[in-house]
Amino acid sequence: MSPQNSSAEAGVAHLAGDGSAGAGAGPAAGDAADHVRIEGLSLRYRGRDGSQVHALDHIDARIKNREFVAVLGPSGCGKSTLLRVLAGLILPTVGTVSFVGEDGRSASDLVGLVPQAATLMPWLRVIDNVMLPAKILKLPRQPARDKAMELLDMIGLKGFERRYPRELSGGMQQRVAIARALLHDPKILLMDEPFAALDALTRERLSVELQSVWLSTGKTVFFVTHSISEAVFLADRVLVMSRRPGRIIAEFTVPDARPRGIDHVSPESEEIAASIRTVLERDASQEWK
């Protein structure tokens, strides 16, 4: 499927599944709040052994402006692959990803990526790691440095800007990775299981801190996780993916008001978590039939 470049769609940036990328436009009046549209997206690729891998199958989804969306699913279902498609690192075989109202800007300009591992440069100090996007995107140095210092203050690392990664805990390194992803002020934050390698207490603390960062910055967030409780705590909406080829098989809206406390779990959230677990267990059971 290739993008339609009609005047009725002006203002939407596309990643197209025919191997091309281009600019289209804007949202219809009724869809003005959409920020990301995923339409008819499938992905197949050739594995290292030469076999065909069907990773994603006909995914349709909408992400609203400033919405926090979490994606859950079993290992190998294509969650991270879908995130990489949104980041513009992989083109889909079929279908489109559209960034609504972004006037043809590329994914590299629009998104900030937080990987599972912090992937900090060990020979660079914290401040220089945060400023890496400024160097890559050729942003003015002093404004970028001022922004980096503001971000380090916001995530609780003021005073650590001259430290090296080896001097930081795992949780602190992930905070640096979040600050780095926010430096160029992306509209969309893509997070690929950023807390998976951390201990439970650090993971909870960073979830609370991420909620604060999101509330203060108003970014649109696409958050991949294996943790049901983490997804329900953080997200406005939870998308559940099937085993491979990955499809969206369920969607849940979390009604809890914000800010949310990690120790307060509403009956509604408990019910949603139980329902998500049921969906995942039912899908897993189909694999063995």
Side-chain angles (χ1 to χ4, degrees), residues 196-208:
L198 305 175
D199 64 86
L201 289 176
T202 301
R203 187 168 183 157
E204 286 185 352
R205 184 167 64 251
L206 286 184
S207 292
V208 173

Side-chain angles (χ1 to χ4, degrees), residues 57-123:
D57 185 42
H58 201 85
I59 292 178
D60 290 290
R62 299 286 191 273
I63 303 173
K64 301 295 185 183
N65 188 39
R66 300 191 174 198
E67 186 178 27
F68 197 122
V69 172
V71 182
L72 279 166
S75 295
C77 74
K79 302 183 300 297
S80 295
T81 300
L82 178 58
L83 180 143
R84 287 194 285 272
V85 172
L86 296 184
L89 302 175
I90 304 173
L91 282 174
T93 306
V94 177
T96 60
V97 173
S98 303
F99 302 103
V100 181
E102 299 297 351
D103 300 320
R105 294 173 62 191
S106 67
S108 60
D109 292 331
L110 291 170
V111 307
L113 179 61
V114 182
Q116 182 170 337
T119 61
L120 304 180
M121 303 297 104
W123 58 88

Side-chain angles (χ1 to χ4, degrees), residues 191-225:
M191 309 188 76
D192 190 5
E193 299 189 69
F195 308 145
L198 305 175
D199 64 86
L201 289 176
T202 301
R203 187 168 183 157
E204 286 185 352
R205 184 167 64 251
L206 286 184
S207 292
V208 173
E209 292 177 2
L210 175 59
Q211 176 184 225
S212 297
V213 168
W214 174 71
L215 288 170
S216 64
T217 61
K219 304 297 180 187
T220 301
V221 178
F222 185 88
F223 186 93
V224 170
T225 179

Side-chain angles (χ1 to χ4, degrees), residues 58 277 286:
H58 201 85
R277 188 169 288 105
Q286 299 300 314

Side-chain angles (χ1 to χ4, degrees), residues 8-281:
E9 289 187 330
V12 181
H14 286 272
L15 295 177
D18 60 355
S20 64
D31 295 329
D34 284 352
H35 198 177
V36 183
R37 296 178 190 162
I38 306 169
E39 298 178 295
L41 191 148
S42 295
L43 176 66
R44 295 175 184 263
Y45 62 89
R46 190 173 298 279
R48 292 182 179 179
D49 61 356
S51 63
Q52 283 286 328
V53 178
H54 191 180
L56 302 171
D57 185 42
H58 201 85
I59 292 178
D60 290 290
R62 299 286 191 273
I63 303 173
K64 301 295 185 183
N65 188 39
R66 300 191 174 198
E67 186 178 27
F68 197 122
V69 172
V71 182
L72 279 166
S75 295
C77 74
K79 302 183 300 297
S80 295
T81 300
L82 178 58
L83 180 143
R84 287 194 285 272
V85 172
L86 296 184
L89 302 175
I90 304 173
L91 282 174
T93 306
V94 177
T96 60
V97 173
S98 303
F99 302 103
V100 181
E102 299 297 351
D103 300 320
R105 294 173 62 191
S106 67
S108 60
D109 292 331
L110 291 170
V111 307
L113 179 61
V114 182
Q116 182 170 337
T119 61
L120 304 180
M121 303 297 104
W123 58 88
L124 295 179
R125 298 180 189 274
V126 164
I127 184 67
D128 297 314
N129 268 288
V130 175
M131 288 185 62
L132 276 175
K135 184 175 182 179
I136 294 169
L137 298 173
K138 296 181 172 55
L139 303 179
R141 178 174 174 78
Q142 191 55 50
R145 185 178 179 85
D146 293 343
K147 177 70 172 178
M149 292 299 291
E150 290 176 11
L151 289 168
L152 288 171
D153 188 17
M154 181 177 69
I155 63 172
L157 288 181
K158 184 178 181 180
F160 288 85
E161 58 272 8
R162 301 293 295 170
R163 302 287 184 92
Y164 288 96
R166 64 177 178 272
E167 300 177 274
L168 305 180
S169 68
M172 294 168 78
Q173 290 184 26
Q174 279 303 91
R175 292 189 206 174
V176 175
I178 293 170
R180 179 182 60 194
L182 291 170
L183 182 76
H184 63 295
D185 197 24
K187 297 291 189 68
I188 303 162
L189 193 60
L190 305 178
M191 309 188 76
D192 190 5
E193 299 189 69
F195 308 145
L198 305 175
D199 64 86
L201 289 176
T202 301
R203 187 168 183 157
E204 286 185 352
R205 184 167 64 251
L206 286 184
S207 292
V208 173
E209 292 177 2
L210 175 59
Q211 176 184 225
S212 297
V213 168
W214 174 71
L215 288 170
S216 64
T217 61
K219 304 297 180 187
T220 301
V221 178
F222 185 88
F223 186 93
V224 170
T225 179
H226 275 107
S227 170
I228 295 174
S229 60
E230 185 174 72
V232 173
F233 171 74
L234 283 169
D236 297 314
R237 214 161 28 101
V238 180
L239 306 180
V240 182
M241 290 182 66
S242 70
R243 66 196 186 285
R244 195 171 68 193
R247 296 171 292 109
I248 294 174
I249 55 175
E251 176 182 319
F252 298 87
T253 298
V254 183
D256 293 2
R258 298 183 186 272
R260 300 170 184 168
I262 202 71
D263 294 325
H264 175 72
V265 181
S266 70
E268 293 82 4
S269 290
E270 289 182 336
E271 184 176 345
I272 288 170
S275 297
I276 291 171
R277 188 169 288 105
T278 297
V279 170
L280 289 170
E281 289 174 352

